[in-house]
Amino acid sequence: EKGGWDSFMDKEIHEDPAAVQQTLMGRLSEDGEIQLDEVRIDENELKSIDKIVVVACGTASYAGMVAKYAIEHWVRIPVEIELAHEFRYRDPILTPRTLVVAISQSGETMDTLMALRHAREQGSKVLAICNTQGASIARESDAVLYTHAGPEVAVASTKAFVAQITAAYILGLYLAQIKGTVFRDEIRGTLDQLQAMPRKIQWILDTQVDTIAKAAAQLDDAKSFLFLGRHVGYPVALEGALKLKEIAYTFTEGFAAGELKHGPIALVDEGEPVVFIVPPARGRNILHAKVISGIEEVKARGATIIAVAEEGDPDVDRYADFVFWRPECPTLMSPLVDVVPLQLFAMDMANQKGYDVDKPRNLAKSVTVE
Ligand code: M6R
């Protein structure tokens, strides 16, 4: 059961490292190739794929958004993310060369199931990224890539999210391998980076828990939170915002940091808490400079800054009221670590307010109605 943890959510966040590790296991051969024997779609057919459409809901859709940045970079084909319920009831452009990827922890989300049925009726191949063996979405797809996160009980999805990103990255690298869009050495290097991530997530769990709990204790009466990120930090911001609204019932909005001056900065007032996902600082990363300038802008308007940032980032130290540190890693890998403090923060906020973190009001673990 909970195995000594206060809640399933707490237990499952602490299983984030294992979720990534187990999802990688058995998929890499000794010579560093990706082996996906389980994907029974003909290799030539996969080679001819010219577009990916991800259909999913909630957290699973944010995992898809993260994967878009990586897969487009590696495979050089467009990746679209659609909320399954929106996809189903318009007239999406699908061809036999479109690969539809349905991402679902439970595998029973009706909106996602209806979307994949629709895609198959249009002649597209569907690959499911699913955490539940034999679930409807897995059974009705042409192929399944299981996330091996283990059963997720808490309504708020945590370890499934990092496992979904991992599985989608493996799929992306596999497509790059068979299409030859990335040099072998580079694929190998990226796999090494992925394999280092469980250790990096563990570092957060080992060192940041107290800092995060203290921040939650000081911020628990805030009426609203804004979450901002750029590039892969953007879907992480959306996911952080969803976690907090879902279990702590705090009004949150997540958006792309570049949008600030196009409207949302009007919301920023004295004391408004704003969470920034700060990109890696090293190598004169242009994204880093841009996010820091966003921090400066909202700081100048009196906002309370909460930052998720790379260990020792001097710019962040200068401006942030609260910092959740994460270890150094490449940009594309950063969502796997950046989301972890946000999961812990949402849990601490909910606990602080006395809510049941595992069973938030009005929500079900799997949404089996449209
Ligand atoms: O089981 P699924 O991954 O298909 O579920 C999709 C969403 O309902 C789910 O991620 C939901 O947003 C979570 N409660 C978020 O924590």
Side-chain angles (χ1 to χ4, degrees), residues 56-61 103-109 112 137 155-158 164 239 242-243 246 363-367:
C57 302
T59 291
S61 76
I103 308 182
S104 174
Q105 186 286 130
S106 63
E108 299 297 345
T109 300
T112 310
I137 287 171
V155 165
S157 190
T158 54
Q164 284 158 353
E239 171 60 4
L242 175 62
K243 284 290 90 92
E246 180 173 39
L363 289 170
K365 179 62 182 162
S366 63
V367 184

Side-chain angles (χ1 to χ4, degrees), residues 55-328:
V55 293
C57 302
T59 291
S61 76
Y62 301 144
M65 278 177 78
V66 169
K68 173 186 168 80
Y69 291 84
I71 298 177
E72 287 190 344
H73 176 66
W74 294 326
V75 193
R76 308 310 297 155
I77 58 172
V79 180
E80 295 168 8
I81 314 301
E82 281 241 4
L83 293 169
H85 34 90
E86 285 297 316
F87 171 87
R88 172 65 189 86
Y89 294 102
R90 55 182 199 89
D91 194 8
I93 300 168
L94 297 167
T95 74
R97 297 181 67 185
T98 308
L99 179 67
V100 172
V101 177
I103 308 182
S104 174
Q105 186 286 130
S106 63
E108 299 297 345
T109 300
M110 188 53 75
D111 288 317
T112 310
L113 185 59
M114 295 304 278
L116 85 81
R117 283 184 187 159
H118 183 66
R120 291 192 76 195
E121 278 162 18
Q122 308 300 306
S124 292
K125 288 273 185 246
V126 176
L127 181 144
I129 292 180
C130 181
N131 196 46
T132 313
Q133 291 280 335
S136 307
I137 287 171
R139 276 190 281 114
E140 293 200 25
S141 298
D142 297 285
V144 196
L145 206 54
Y146 281 107
T147 45
H148 298 300
E152 195 179 63
V153 177
V155 165
S157 190
T158 54
K159 60 177 178 171
F161 178 73
V162 290
Q164 284 158 353
I165 294 173
T166 306
Y169 277 20
I170 293 175
L171 174 66
L173 291 169
Y174 182 63
L175 291 173
Q177 180 178 291
I178 62 180
K179 278 173 171 277
T181 49
V182 177
F183 289 118
R184 284 194 167 194
D185 286 356
E186 205 183 320
I187 294 183
R188 222 162 281 180
T190 309
L191 288 170
D192 288 345
Q193 292 169 1
L194 261 177
Q195 279 177 308
M197 294 317 288
R199 203 169 23 85
K200 296 190 186 230
I201 299 173
Q202 191 59 49
W203 182 89
I204 296 178
L205 296 169
D206 290 343
T207 65
Q208 301 298 296
V209 166
D210 290 346
T211 313
I212 296 167
K214 275 187 205 136
Q218 288 183 54
L219 292 163
D220 68 337
D221 57 355
K223 294 268 172 303
S224 65
F225 277 77
L226 302 178
F227 284 76
L228 280 78
R230 279 184 92 106
H231 194 267
V232 284
Y234 167 39
V236 172
L238 297 177
E239 171 60 4
L242 175 62
K243 284 290 90 92
L244 195 56
K245 71 176 69 138
E246 180 173 39
I247 59 169
Y249 316 145
T250 307
F251 191 91
T252 62
E253 200 180 352
F255 49 87
E259 278 293 288
L260 258 181
K261 53 188 169 302
H262 300 289
I265 199 162
L267 288 168
V268 178
D269 200 358
E270 196 65 35
E272 174 68 25
V274 186
V275 181
F276 280 90
I277 317 302
V278 184
R282 284 150 230 259
R284 293 176 188 239
N285 186 348
I286 179 79
L287 292 172
H288 177 264
K290 295 211 178 277
V291 170
I292 295 295
S293 92
I295 293 181
E296 284 170 359
E297 274 169 41
V298 299
K299 183 80 188 169
R301 287 160 182 83
T304 299
I305 311 287
I306 302 113
V308 178
E310 194 162 274
E311 216 191 336
D313 183 330
D315 298 308
V316 168
D317 236 358
R318 188 165 338 131
Y319 298 112
D321 300 280
F322 302 93
V323 191
F324 307 152
W325 296 115
R326 62 146 175 87
E328 183 195 353

